[in-house]
Amino acid sequence: MDFDKDFLERLFEQAIESPRLRQSFDLRTSSADSSQRILNALLSGTVVPIHRHLNTSETVICLCGKMDEVIYEESDSNKEVPSLREVQRIRLCPAEARYGCQVPMGAWHTVEVIEPSVIFEAKDGAYAPVTSENVWSYE
């Protein structure tokens, strides 16, 4: 399978039709595959909740577009109501020779899409959905 311009354009077309303004393409060979590899087309305005992966780091490579990977840490300014504070913002933009990053295991993170982008994401281990305790809640 080739990931050429036509393939990425079709992925963007599907993202436009999605209410979430993004579309993923699973690169695993089967549901039993013991790795996580996807292409993800992201449009400006998509909202990816702040989340974390407790058992794996995440490799993100930007194939096209421009976006920021935003890393947070929990703030202990008020121990009764935990909050997050931004600690790193990593610009991903191949046109600027900024190709990718590694999100550390357990780090809270999200993305902010500046221009329509396609990223390759890889994580260790078999796919497991992010659980509610690993999605940041502002309540």
Side-chain angles (χ1 to χ4, degrees), residues 34-62:
S34 63
S35 66
Q36 298 175 63
R37 301 178 313 275
I38 66 168
L39 292 176
N40 208 344
L42 305 150
L43 302 179
S44 301
T46 189
V47 176
V48 177
I50 298 171
H51 63 285
R52 64 183 175 184
H53 308 284
L54 288 177
N55 299 314
T56 182
S57 59
E58 181 174 13
T59 302
V60 181
I61 306 295
C62 188

Side-chain angles (χ1 to χ4, degrees), residues 28 36 51-53 123 126-135:
R28 296 176 301 158
Q36 298 175 63
H51 63 285
R52 64 183 175 184
H53 308 284
K123 297 183 223 48
Y127 171 75
V130 175
T131 59
S132 61
E133 62 267 11
N134 292 312
V135 174

Side-chain angles (χ1 to χ4, degrees), residues 88-114:
Q88 189 174 19
R89 183 172 289 263
I90 304 163
R91 174 66 42 93
L92 303 179
C93 178
E96 298 173 7
R98 303 174 97 173
Y99 303 106
C101 67
Q102 183 88 358
V103 178
M105 180 171 47
W108 292 103
H109 63 284
T110 189
V111 296
E112 293 179 9
V113 180
I114 299 162

Side-chain angles (χ1 to χ4, degrees), residues 50-51 67-77 82-91 98 107-112 114 136 138:
I50 298 171
H51 63 285
M67 58 181 273
D68 288 341
E69 185 80 41
V70 186
I71 313 291
Y72 301 88
E73 70 179 18
E74 290 187 49
S75 170
D76 43 336
S77 60
S83 62
L84 293 179
R85 70 180 184 88
E86 183 179 320
V87 293
Q88 189 174 19
R89 183 172 289 263
I90 304 163
R91 174 66 42 93
R98 303 174 97 173
W108 292 103
H109 63 284
T110 189
V111 296
E112 293 179 9
I114 299 162
W136 186 259
Y138 297 97

Side-chain angles (χ1 to χ4, degrees), residues 4-35:
D4 57 12
K5 181 179 178 185
D6 291 337
F7 179 89
L8 297 185
E9 285 177 359
R10 286 191 302 277
L11 207 54
F12 278 130
E13 289 169 5
Q14 293 171 6
I16 290 168
E17 297 298 319
S18 169
R20 296 175 355 140
L21 299 176
R22 61 184 186 265
Q23 180 64 46
S24 63
F25 184 84
D26 191 350
L27 296 169
R28 296 176 301 158
T29 55
S30 76
S31 60
D33 195 334
S34 63
S35 66

